Amino acid sequence: MESYPITQDEIRELKQTMGFRINSKVWAQFVDDHKDGCTSVELIEFVKKYMNPPYENENLDDYLEGILKL
């Protein structure tokens, strides 16, 4: 999986598309904890850990990375 930088503003914006299955408080805490942003790999791992209910996609990493690239 390719790793590239994600800014804090981008993390905030991705709540609607990538983090809609994550509690808003948990997402906001992640945003606050990453003032300098994060990597795409780190964000994907966060989403996989906290999504509820889980995505039912066999290629979840590819799916989530595809959302990021949009």
Side-chain angles (χ1 to χ4, degrees):
M1 179 176 3
E2 183 181 354
S3 179
Y4 46 89
I6 306 289
T7 68
Q8 186 184 40
D9 287 338
E10 290 171 330
I11 297 169
R12 192 175 290 115
E13 289 176 21
L14 286 165
K15 170 70 172 120
Q16 295 177 10
T17 57
M18 191 172 183
F20 69 95
R21 292 184 180 187
I22 298 175
N23 178 289
S24 293
K25 283 186 177 182
V26 173
W27 192 272
Q29 185 62 53
F30 186 83
V31 171
D32 288 345
D33 290 346
H34 293 84
K35 301 213 182 295
D36 294 328
C38 65
T39 67
S40 56
V41 172
E42 185 177 8
L43 184 58
I44 287 171
E45 290 304 314
F46 166 75
V47 170
K48 287 171 33 179
K49 181 176 181 180
Y50 289 101
M51 61 190 170
N52 184 18
Y55 286 98
E56 295 178 5
N57 191 313
E58 290 181 20
N59 299 314
L60 186 56
D61 288 345
D62 293 338
Y63 174 71
L64 294 173
E65 188 173 12
I67 292 173
L68 285 175
K69 289 183 177 181
L70 290 176

